[in-house]
Amino acid sequence: MTTVFKFGGASIKDVNSIIHISNFLKEGTHDNLFIVFSAMGKVTNMLEDIVDAYVINSKDLSVLVEQVKLFHYNIMEGLFEEEELIFDEVNNVFVELDWILEEEPYNNYSYNYDQIVSLGEILSTKIMSQYLRKIGYDHKWIDARDIIRTDNTFRDAKIDWKQTTTLINKKVKSGIYLTQGFIGSTSENFTTTLGREGSDFTAAILAFSLEAKEVVIWKDVPGMMNADPRYFKNAELLPNVSYDEAIELAFFGAKVIHPKTIQPLKKKNIPLFIKSFINILNKGTLIKDKMDLASLYPSYIVKENQILLSISDPELSFIVEEHMSQIFSLLALHSVRVNMMQNSAVSFSICIDNDKYRVPLLIAGLQKDFKVSYNQQLTLYTVRHYKKEDLDILLRNKKILLEQKSRNTIQIIAFEEDYTKA
Ligand code: ASP
Ligand code: MG
């Protein structure tokens, strides 16, 4: 039975970390292993900047492209001798990038995005694969676009599970495989991406299709914490979490796993480990059925860069069901997910990620029929299994715009300026 490993950008961000991970893999004893890599370091962000510069035809474009090239060449120089073939292979990927950038952008931001940003994973896996070969770690490189079939919702592609499962089982035999996270392709062979941080989801898709024994997501944190250690100094490791609790935590924005990761694993009852690639022997977090220790701890989740839209009828008449369905159709059309919502008689408020491309399109769409006002630079706090004392600390000095409580969960939207560390 196969194990699936996923390594994120932080685990392969420079020469030393690549050597560390590669040696770790080489020492491993798995006969059947699927290894998923994301782009190296912050390459996805760099490629996003390239997309933006390309779309608005900015003069910075060539500088940004040079930076991405330099980043990869520096790493390769630390890993390989100059004459090795990998330099040509990576060059070819950059030629592909140059070709895309020479053409006029298509009038579809998300399409342009996927064709460019997906190259980060192609580059990282080519380099990783070549380095692993060099140190004698035998494996097969597989293009995720040959096995992950999606629809054409670019930048947020939906998996065609049937096709994907068939393709994976047709192409994958026993042994060790290495592939890209985050990317897939349509039936017409256009590259798609699964949404930021989507490599975790790729690992889950592979595990689901192969009925894997387990998935391990290797992180730069000790496992799933009850709070983001960057914001809360008393963050604690959650040793065991149930699938259901993990789904909730990821849904509310816990950054440690992509929200779509858990469901496929839960369906096949495949355990998910989240472990530190720095302290490989530490236990980390185990997510599986009926392990609900997480509910003993309050969990704090912080989502920054939120925007709160208040949508009302221009005549200030009531917001009725037809309005709702119109609003939700627009949300679906622009792939915008609602993080929190509230309605009153005459207005409907939604808190969403302030995505610089999706949100203006959504607002423009809404403004055809509604009055829209908004507040930006907000932070959404979610606390699961809250205790009153913890909340008092969290809410101190915050200017709160909206608050919602259920038995297990409280959500608060507050202005970012007022953020003080709890
Ligand atoms: N490289 C992609 C990103 O940074 C996918 C991932 O890391 O999971 O969003
Ligand atoms: Mg990444």
Side-chain angles (χ1 to χ4, degrees):
M1 265 172 117
T2 304
T3 293
V4 181
F5 277 0
K6 180 259 168 172
F7 293 97
S11 65
I12 48 168
K13 67 177 194 305
D14 53 26
V15 171
N16 285 338
S17 50
I18 291 173
I19 293 175
H20 171 72
I21 297 298
S22 304
N23 288 337
F24 161 65
L25 284 171
K26 197 182 168 199
E27 282 158 23
T29 53
H30 291 94
D31 295 325
N32 295 310
L33 181 65
F34 223 112
I35 309 163
V36 177
F37 283 110
S38 1
M40 293 178 166
K42 299 261 177 257
V43 166
T44 304
N45 294 351
M46 295 165 90
L47 291 167
E48 282 191 342
D49 292 342
I50 290 180
V51 179
D52 290 352
Y54 168 58
V55 172
I56 62 165
N57 198 9
S58 148
K59 59 179 180 352
D60 300 334
L61 181 59
S62 54
V63 179
L64 296 169
V65 172
E66 270 324 296
Q67 280 171 4
V68 173
K69 290 184 180 172
L70 202 64
F71 175 87
H72 289 93
Y73 284 124
N74 278 338
I75 286 187
M76 288 199 294
E77 273 155 27
L79 298 173
F80 306 107
E81 309 299 324
E82 237 162 69
E83 62 280 6
E84 287 183 56
L85 278 176
I86 181 69
F87 286 90
D88 292 341
E89 265 194 63
V90 165
N91 259 338
N92 289 342
V93 179
F94 286 127
V95 168
E96 204 181 307
L97 175 63
D98 290 336
W99 278 346
I100 297 174
L101 300 177
E102 271 163 27
E103 301 285 325
E104 281 293 302
Y106 283 84
N107 190 17
N108 176 340
Y109 175 81
S110 300
Y111 170 82
N112 295 317
Y113 178 103
D114 283 3
Q115 309 319 302
I116 294 170
V117 175
S118 57
L119 296 177
E121 269 68 12
I122 299 293
L123 288 163
S124 71
T125 52
K126 289 208 180 238
I127 295 172
M128 287 310 301
S129 174
Q130 189 51 43
Y131 185 67
L132 287 166
R133 270 207 187 103
K134 187 183 158 105
I135 63 165
Y137 184 69
D138 198 22
H139 65 276
K140 298 179 200 78
W141 186 91
I142 192 163
D143 193 322
R145 293 169 296 187
D146 293 336
I147 48 176
I148 309 277
R149 193 58 74 244
T150 72
D151 72 355
N152 61 0
T153 315
F154 295 103
R155 213 149 71 94
D156 187 25
K158 307 291 176 299
I159 302 300
D160 177 338
W161 287 95
K162 219 170 143 223
Q163 282 283 338
T164 299
T165 307
T166 311
L167 285 168
I168 291 175
N169 283 294
K170 208 163 90 196
K171 302 238 154 118
V172 176
K173 307 284 170 242
S174 58
I176 297 171
Y177 285 85
L178 186 161
T179 198
Q180 308 81 39
F182 178 57
I183 72 173
S185 106
T186 67
S187 53
E188 285 143 336
N189 276 327
F190 289 115
T191 303
T192 50
T193 67
L194 311 180
R196 282 305 305 260
E197 310 304 327
S199 299
D200 297 347
F201 185 34
T202 304
I205 297 166
L206 291 166
F208 176 93
S209 303
L210 294 164
E211 314 224 327
K213 184 171 86 182
E214 59 185 7
V215 176
V216 188
I217 295 183
W218 297 95
K219 304 278 303 182
D220 55 358
V221 291
M224 200 166 197
M225 314 286 284
N226 75 329
D228 187 330
R230 283 173 304 170
Y231 302 106
F232 299 94
K233 56 178 184 299
N234 296 326
E236 284 177 76
L237 178 75
L238 300 170
N240 298 301
V241 181
S242 68
Y243 290 123
D244 291 343
E245 184 63 20
I247 289 172
E248 296 286 346
L249 294 175
F251 170 83
F252 287 120
K255 287 214 182 62
V256 66
I257 32 175
H258 186 278
K260 290 183 185 162
T261 311
I262 307 292
Q263 219 105 38
L265 300 179
K266 180 182 169 180
K267 270 198 197 139
K268 297 256 163 117
N269 211 2
I270 300 168
L272 168 62
F273 294 87
I274 301 175
K275 291 187 180 206
S276 158
F277 61 77
I278 303 160
N279 301 305
I280 280 161
L281 296 177
N282 286 7
K283 276 215 160 76
T285 299
L286 167 58
I287 298 171
K288 61 180 234 187
D289 225 2
K290 299 196 185 72
M291 290 203 104
D292 213 3
L293 284 183
S295 57
L296 302 177
Y297 302 75
S299 287
Y300 299 87
I301 299 153
V302 180
K303 243 176 174 296
E304 290 173 324
N305 193 26
Q306 299 291 299
I307 178 168
L308 182 68
L309 305 185
S310 289
I311 305 157
S312 51
D313 187 275
E315 265 91 56
L316 274 188
S317 58
F318 291 129
I319 288 279
V320 290
E321 287 70 20
E322 292 79 62
H323 292 140
M324 295 285 199
S325 81
Q326 203 181 340
I327 293 168
F328 278 99
S329 308
L330 281 166
L331 287 165
L333 179 68
H334 298 292
S335 297
V336 173
R337 209 197 78 183
V338 177
N339 296 326
M340 180 171 160
M341 60 186 151
Q342 205 161 60
N343 65 332
S344 73
V346 293
S347 87
F348 181 58
S349 302
I350 53 171
C351 177
I352 55 182
D353 293 353
N354 200 355
D355 182 282
K356 59 183 185 271
Y357 283 92
R358 290 186 178 130
V359 170
L361 291 174
L362 172 71
I363 292 179
L366 287 166
Q367 278 171 336
K368 289 191 188 131
D369 295 296
F370 300 100
K371 195 169 146 278
V372 182
S373 56
Y374 52 86
N375 278 295
Q376 313 191 59
Q377 285 176 315
L378 305 177
T379 301
L380 171 64
Y381 300 88
T382 304
V383 188
R384 300 267 300 155
H385 314 294
Y386 56 92
K387 299 196 187 74
K388 181 152 183 331
E389 318 78 86
D390 309 321
L391 283 186
D392 293 343
I393 300 171
L394 180 70
L395 299 183
R396 207 166 44 202
N397 301 331
K398 290 204 172 67
K399 222 159 116 199
I400 296 173
L401 263 121
L402 213 62
E403 185 178 316
Q404 230 170 57
K405 247 187 223 170
S406 70
R407 195 156 51 92
N408 281 326
T409 310
I410 181 163
Q411 289 196 288
I412 293 144
I413 301 170
F415 283 103
E416 234 157 51
E417 289 83 29
D418 297 306
Y419 186 73
T420 38
K421 289 199 171 186

